Amino acid sequence: MFSNDKNIETIGQLVEVVKHYIGLQNEYLRLDVIEKVVRLITALSIAAVTFLIVLIIFIYLSFAAAYALAPYVGTPVAFLIVAAFYILIFLLFLAFRKSWVEKPLVRFLASLLMEK
């Protein structure tokens, strides 16, 4: 009963369909990983370019602020005031780095990698 030629042919077709399905799933997984890696690299590139532009803006604004304060307190003191401002920002950043950087970054990466 089980050794019927039609049953063997049907089982062979089923095996071929399962192999094809597994191959398609494998291809889908590879394409999904490639898409997520490309999206991650794109996001990192955009973040890097944005960071560099903002850094240049802050440098010019720092010099402008220092030279604007210079007539009132003197050039060296004006640069010290600007430096103290950046030290204050740095200390705030250290204090709140988990809520400002780590949590949003984890949420972004999780949403990127868990998205279907």
Side-chain angles (χ1 to χ4, degrees):
M1 178 171 165
F2 287 112
S3 63
N4 188 342
D5 285 341
K6 184 169 168 85
N7 288 343
I8 292 173
E9 183 180 318
T10 304
I11 291 172
Q13 288 175 347
L14 180 62
V15 168
E16 288 301 317
V17 169
V18 168
K19 283 182 183 178
H20 183 67
Y21 176 76
I22 290 172
L24 289 176
Q25 286 296 325
N26 197 7
E27 182 72 18
Y28 173 74
L29 182 64
R30 285 190 313 169
L31 290 174
D32 191 43
V33 168
I34 289 170
E35 177 197 3
K36 288 178 181 180
V37 167
V38 167
R39 288 179 62 198
L40 183 62
I41 290 171
T42 302
L44 289 174
S45 300
I46 290 171
V49 169
T50 303
F51 175 76
L52 287 174
I53 291 171
V54 168
L55 182 67
I56 292 169
I57 290 169
F58 275 126
I59 288 171
Y60 278 105
L61 287 175
S62 298
F63 278 107
Y67 283 117
L69 289 173
Y72 304 107
V73 294
T75 304
V77 176
F79 278 97
L80 285 175
I81 291 171
V82 171
F85 174 73
Y86 283 120
I87 290 172
L88 177 67
I89 290 175
F90 176 71
L91 292 175
L92 286 172
F93 176 78
L94 283 180
F96 296 106
R97 71 182 173 269
K98 285 192 187 250
S99 62
W100 289 353
V101 177
E102 288 179 20
K103 287 181 183 178
L105 188 60
V106 167
R107 270 187 256 127
F108 169 72
L109 290 175
S111 69
L112 180 71
L113 297 175
M114 298 304 286
E115 185 179 278
K116 289 192 176 193

